[in-house]
Amino acid sequence: MKKIIAIIAEIIPLVSAVVSYPLLVSSLDSKLVRLVIAITFLCAFLGFVFFFIGRGLAKDDKAVRILGIFDWLATIYVIAIYVIAIFIFGL
């Protein structure tokens, strides 16, 4: 049971990163879309937290290890988007 919970927790940042990118580059603009982008960015940024949760629950599982790497990549994705935005605005 811990393994399943760990895998589900580790999938949350991955899904958030995958959902946030198309919404970010699309021409859709409404309050709902902005809210979804904000929530998914936050979940993707907190990928490192989900990494530690997953490792705490099932540290020896191979799927959890692989998903943990992708959780870190989701966090790096959000940081990279913000760095790109800072360079675009020239701050």
Side-chain angles (χ1 to χ4, degrees):
M1 191 65 180
K2 286 184 178 182
K3 176 183 166 184
I4 294 171
I5 294 171
I7 289 174
I8 291 172
E10 297 244 358
I11 288 176
I12 292 171
L14 299 177
V15 172
S16 296
V18 169
V19 168
S20 68
Y21 183 73
L23 289 175
L24 188 65
V25 298
S26 72
S27 62
L28 299 174
D29 189 28
S30 68
K31 287 187 179 189
L32 179 63
V33 172
R34 290 181 187 185
L35 179 66
V36 170
I37 290 172
I39 291 170
T40 56
F41 257 62
L42 180 64
C43 289
F45 177 71
L46 293 176
F48 68 94
V49 174
F50 289 104
F51 166 79
F52 290 121
I53 292 171
R55 283 289 171 108
L57 291 174
K59 61 179 114 178
D60 292 333
D61 188 46
K62 190 172 185 176
V64 172
R65 287 186 199 167
I66 293 169
L67 288 172
I69 294 169
F70 287 121
D71 287 343
W72 280 104
L73 289 176
T75 301
I76 292 169
Y77 154 75
V78 173
I79 293 170
I81 293 291
Y82 278 107
V83 167
I84 291 169
I86 288 170
F87 283 130
I88 287 174
F89 290 114
L91 298 176

